[in-house]
Amino acid sequence: LPFEERWPGVMEGALAKAGRPVRVVEDCLNGRRTVWEDPFKPGRNGLAGLEQRIEIHSPLALVVLMLGTNDFQSMHPHTAWHAAQGIATLVGAVRRAPIEPGMPVPPVLIVAPPPIESPRGPIAAKFANAAAKSVGLASAYKEAAAELDCYFFDAGAVTDASIVDGVHLDADQHLRLGQSLAGFIAKLPVLR
């Protein structure tokens, strides 16, 4: 999908329409995990280079982290607790990024991805047992967010996973998530 149809672009457009113009810098990568590598596709560790990406784009009003789904791929034994530890590690990296003196450390919004359903199609083997391993992800992320003084949003409260593959988001789900996040973020003190 083009940027304006993916949830970050939908969110940017909805915030602009609501009189809260922002520039969303999207940093998506297919297969990215929180802090683990993909043994078959190198460069998928979300921690690698995160501090530098924060530095590049600073000052930032808010950092939104929505990772974790790929932590449950079949080659990993991880649970929701592991993914929450990964998210916590990413929050730490955001907070220690070498930003210029006087720039504020950006607040972080942790978004729990929608629950994985029954993986279907070409990705079924890659996500075998992912639904079971990821049980409790939103709760684990909510707890981590509270401990880390981060904002929290449960994407599963506004959309399910894809009806096509059971893991990703379809176009209508990107729309719902982007609009819902825009409404949530518009109320945060970071945009006032």
Side-chain angles (χ1 to χ4, degrees):
L1 298 171
F3 174 75
E4 60 276 359
E5 293 179 32
R6 294 190 300 271
W7 71 261
V10 171
M11 181 178 72
E12 180 181 277
L15 284 166
K17 252 188 200 173
R20 307 272 187 170
V22 297
R23 179 173 167 255
V24 173
V25 179
E26 184 183 47
D27 188 34
C28 299
L29 177 64
N30 185 26
R32 183 178 280 154
R33 285 107 165 104
T34 55
V35 296
W36 293 282
E37 269 302 337
D38 182 329
F40 309 118
K41 255 181 152 172
R44 291 341 194 232
N45 180 334
L47 185 59
L50 177 58
E51 292 176 48
Q52 291 74 30
R53 289 193 305 280
I54 298 299
E55 181 183 11
I56 288 166
H57 297 294
S58 286
L60 296 167
L62 180 67
V63 172
V64 180
L65 296 174
M66 185 172 140
L67 286 173
T69 300
N70 290 300
D71 290 5
F72 305 111
Q73 287 189 12
S74 59
M75 70 279 298
H76 299 300
H78 309 311
T79 65
W81 182 86
H82 294 108
Q85 298 309 301
I87 280 289
T89 301
L90 297 178
V91 170
V94 168
R95 291 179 172 164
R96 70 174 172 266
I99 56 178
E100 293 295 319
M103 279 189 191
V105 174
V108 177
L109 167 59
I110 296 172
V111 178
I116 297 170
E117 296 180 3
S118 178
R120 296 178 286 285
I123 66 164
K126 187 190 287 189
F127 284 93
N129 300 316
K133 290 189 290 187
S134 65
V135 167
L137 184 63
S139 298
Y141 276 21
K142 185 175 185 177
E143 186 176 317
E147 289 174 7
L148 296 165
D149 195 27
C150 293
Y151 300 111
F152 172 76
F153 186 89
D154 180 6
V158 298
T159 187
D160 296 323
S162 169
I163 60 168
V164 175
D165 68 21
V167 176
H168 296 97
L169 297 175
D170 300 328
D172 62 318
Q173 295 162 323
H174 277 277
L175 180 65
R176 269 197 308 279
L177 179 57
Q179 290 173 337
S180 298
L181 277 169
F184 180 83
I185 290 171
K187 296 174 187 167
L188 298 180
V190 299
L191 293 187
R192 293 189 182 153

